Amino acid sequence: MLKIGEFSKLSRLSIRQLRDLDEAGLLAPASIDAFTGYRYYSENQLPIANRIRALKEMGFTQPVIGVVLPLYGDRTAIERCLTLRRAEARMELETAQRRLRLLDTALERLRKDEIDMKYDVTIKTLPARYVASVRQIIPSYGHEGDLWGIYCEETARMSIQSGVPKLCTAVYHDGEFRESDVDVEIQKTVVGEYPDTAHVKFKTVPAMEVASATFQGSYEKIGEVNEAIVSWIQDNGYAFAGCFLNIYHVSPHETRNPEEFVTEVCYPVRKK
């Protein structure tokens, strides 16, 4: 069982959204402690949480989601719903491109017998490493690039040498998925000694054991990767042991084509 904060992080739904979904009868906690009132969710609820999040990102309102969810299993009905929403998205201005991409993906998958993509989860040890670090509260996850911009600007004249292995990572310090004001730290392995700057700090990160899965493609797939990792951790007797992080093997710094991104999602774990 997962505490509401852990489930929030893995499902990428904020605690407020989870409470709203409970009140609407769309996603109730698996159990509530009678003495403390703490809410607990099951790992088996992640698929429905990811489905709800996907429908919300497509622009479906919460009342409509309540109508659409029971239709899953009826491919024709779901395809009709998605196609109608796709037509509406063409008329919208600011969010049209993002929502059309999500709908195209959803429709394409519905027409296949199986989802082609599978994620292999493995246990590995990230070695202790010396890093250049920038940690700030940023407006949203989409502003992570601002931290990399700060790093590049403040170290441009320092002739910093990359460490081996060369790892560029982002660590997410919040205990839940947040819609705004997120606590994010970016790290790059380096070799040598350098003075701290206004925002760049140099430090040693200890070794850690992680469950990880690597995927190629846009960051929209992270929800599916989270689901695969959580299932693997549950089945193999591990527990979460820290903030999750992404390792960017091929990032927007190397290519502007999201389909060429290579990202490794890592969750620190310990044996139960």
Side-chain angles (χ1 to χ4, degrees), residues 132-175:
S133 164
V134 180
R135 179 177 177 179
Q136 288 189 5
I137 304 295
I138 56 178
S140 68
Y141 296 103
H143 285 77
E144 183 182 311
D146 296 348
L147 302 181
W148 293 105
I150 291 172
Y151 166 79
C152 291
E153 180 179 353
E154 295 190 7
T155 62
R157 299 182 179 180
M158 297 175 67
S159 300
I160 292 180
Q161 297 183 28
S162 298
V164 178
K166 180 181 178 181
L167 296 181
C168 293
T169 64
V171 183
Y172 303 94
H173 289 281
D174 294 306

Side-chain angles (χ1 to χ4, degrees), residues 9 141 144 170-174 183-184 243-246 248:
K9 182 189 297 185
Y141 296 103
E144 183 182 311
V171 183
Y172 303 94
H173 289 281
D174 294 306
D183 186 355
V184 179
C243 300
F244 87 94
L245 59 145
N246 290 336
Y248 302 116

Side-chain angles (χ1 to χ4, degrees), residues 44-172:
N44 295 332
Q45 292 179 287
L46 280 172
I48 186 65
N50 281 333
R51 183 172 291 168
I52 290 172
R53 178 175 53 77
L55 289 171
K56 288 174 70 70
E57 290 180 348
M58 292 176 197
F60 288 97
T61 63
Q62 190 159 290
V64 175
I65 290 175
V67 175
V68 173
L69 280 177
L71 298 178
Y72 272 85
D74 184 342
R75 180 173 299 185
T76 301
I78 291 297
E79 185 168 2
R80 186 184 302 116
C81 292
L82 293 173
T83 302
L84 288 173
R85 183 68 192 103
R86 186 179 188 273
E88 294 173 354
R90 285 191 177 278
M91 299 168 53
E92 297 173 355
L93 298 176
E94 296 182 356
T95 60
Q97 292 300 318
R98 173 177 171 79
R99 287 177 176 168
L100 282 172
R101 183 169 65 250
L102 289 168
L103 287 160
D104 285 340
T105 300
L107 287 168
E108 185 176 69
R109 287 184 174 174
L110 281 170
R111 292 168 184 150
K112 294 181 179 180
D113 292 333
E114 297 180 353
I115 295 177
D116 295 332
M117 191 166 299
K118 296 177 68 175
Y119 304 105
D120 296 320
V121 181
T122 59
I123 288 290
K124 63 186 292 185
T125 298
L126 293 181
R129 57 202 188 279
Y130 190 62
V131 303
S133 164
V134 180
R135 179 177 177 179
Q136 288 189 5
I137 304 295
I138 56 178
S140 68
Y141 296 103
H143 285 77
E144 183 182 311
D146 296 348
L147 302 181
W148 293 105
I150 291 172
Y151 166 79
C152 291
E153 180 179 353
E154 295 190 7
T155 62
R157 299 182 179 180
M158 297 175 67
S159 300
I160 292 180
Q161 297 183 28
S162 298
V164 178
K166 180 181 178 181
L167 296 181
C168 293
T169 64
V171 183
Y172 303 94

Side-chain angles (χ1 to χ4, degrees), residues 195-215:
D196 291 345
T197 67
H199 301 97
V200 182
K201 309 301 177 185
F202 295 87
K203 64 180 183 179
T204 298
V205 177
M208 65 180 71
E209 188 174 36
V210 299
S212 77
T214 301
F215 71 96

